Amino acid sequence: MTVVALSGIRGGTGTTSVVAALGFALHTLGQRVLMVDLNPRNLLRLHFNLALESADGWAVAGQEDEARWSEALLQVLEGLHLLPYGTLAANALAGLELHQRAHPDLWVQRLQTLHAHFDWILLDLPATLADGQPGVPMLPDTVMRLRVLEADAACHALLSTEGAGDDYLLVNRFDPISQLQRDLLLLWGERHSRLIPQVIHRDEAMAGALAWKSPVGYYAPDALATRDVRSLATWLLAEGGHDA
Ligand SMILES: Nc1ncnc2c1ncn2[C@@H]1O[C@H](COP(=O)(O)OP(=O)(O)OP(=O)(O)O)[C@@H](O)[C@H]1O
Ligand SMILES: [Mg+2]
């Protein structure tokens, strides 16, 4: 099993959309996949046709009895599973935050229990500026960390000031018409050995997929973004699959 933790270098870079699209693409390649929403905003579920009002998720299931967290796991397709965060009131969320800080290895243990059932676990994490900030759960050392960014000046500034450590960098919403984007991609390729050699293009199909409440590969199988994500999945199989 390989665990991939995805987070934006800042908010809004498309992390949740990429988790949904990548989960679907890996499943299409015959992999057993679980996608876990670790972002309290709880939006990943919307890519799999769950109702806006649906409040179920691991954080809600584990509220009364912590051992029941995994009861919120949903099968989307055979071999493709989703664990939504759930919707918590602000005070319950603050309580959960405290609990997670008191038990920093909570997700290390939980991921261990899922080990045998999946080839890939994709984690949708909130955007962070640096590793180890409060609210970001401790994860096993073997986790493959993937930072999603856009080729713009804000991401460039954050990358220059914060660095990326050993994290892989994935460029989303790439627009080859933009000179700035092309220049930044070249520059990052020279500076960062872990820049993934597959971008995901800016594609209306990616935006339309969420409006249609499905991952892009389901919504638009022939779209450019779908082909990008399929190539990304193949790259991951070669790069990360050896941890299985
Ligand atoms: N490659 C793309 N082309 C066009 N639109 C995209 C692309 N990727 C994501 N989007 C759109 O951008 C919007 C934000 O995406 P998303 O919610 O996945 O971002 P996020 O990084 O998870 O945000 P947050 O930091 O709030 O969690 C969505 O409407 C999504 O459809
Ligand atoms: Mg998100």
Side-chain angles (χ1 to χ4, degrees):
M1 179 193 71
T2 306
V3 182
V4 188
L6 295 98
S7 62
I9 199 155
R10 61 165 164 75
T13 57
T15 303
T16 302
S17 307
V18 172
V19 169
L22 189 56
F24 186 80
L26 284 165
H27 173 261
T28 309
L29 292 172
Q31 302 291 297
R32 298 171 303 162
V33 182
L34 169 65
M35 298 159 291
V36 182
D37 196 345
L38 290 179
N39 187 333
R41 294 186 123 171
N42 192 29
L43 288 181
L44 182 60
R45 75 196 197 291
L46 297 183
H47 293 262
F48 296 95
N49 204 27
L50 265 71
L52 202 56
E53 313 76 54
S54 69
D56 296 341
W58 62 265
V60 176
Q63 234 182 342
E64 299 280 290
D65 175 1
E66 198 189 295
R68 301 180 68 175
W69 65 276
S70 61
E71 289 180 10
L73 204 132
L74 299 169
Q75 177 170 292
V76 178
L77 295 168
E78 198 181 339
L80 181 63
H81 286 79
L82 169 69
L83 187 56
Y85 194 103
T87 309
L88 286 182
N91 58 344
L93 202 54
L96 176 63
E97 185 84 352
L98 283 176
H99 180 70
Q100 293 198 135
R101 268 186 227 179
H103 303 89
D105 63 346
L106 199 66
W107 278 99
V108 176
Q109 291 170 9
R110 288 178 175 180
L111 290 171
Q112 261 165 14
T113 68
L114 299 167
H115 196 275
H117 307 287
F118 301 101
D119 302 309
W120 295 86
I121 297 183
L122 308 181
L123 308 176
D124 179 10
L125 288 160
T128 53
L129 297 180
D131 218 12
Q133 284 195 337
V136 178
M138 187 199 283
L139 297 171
D141 293 339
T142 50
V143 163
M144 187 174 184
R145 289 170 190 274
L146 206 153
R147 306 295 294 278
V148 183
L149 65 169
E150 276 182 68
D152 65 20
C155 286
H156 182 60
L158 289 169
L159 202 53
S160 304
T161 51
E162 301 280 335
D166 287 336
D167 298 358
Y168 287 93
L169 300 177
L170 172 67
V171 173
N172 183 33
R173 242 194 238 107
F174 182 68
D175 182 356
I177 292 174
S178 159
Q179 179 73 51
L180 176 67
Q181 290 214 21
R182 291 202 308 271
D183 288 350
L184 283 173
L185 196 63
L186 270 178
L187 187 67
W188 293 346
E190 284 167 11
R191 287 190 183 172
H192 300 280
S193 59
R194 292 205 154 185
L195 178 70
I196 297 176
Q198 173 66 54
V199 299
I200 301 174
H201 287 85
R202 178 194 297 275
D203 188 340
E204 202 50 27
M206 197 82 162
L210 177 55
W212 200 252
K213 295 179 75 182
S214 59
V216 71
Y218 181 84
Y219 169 71
D222 299 320
L224 178 59
T226 298
R227 279 182 270 145
D228 292 338
V229 176
R230 208 177 291 136
S231 301
L232 175 66
T234 307
W235 178 85
L236 267 178
L237 278 173
E239 191 73 11
H242 51 73
D243 290 343

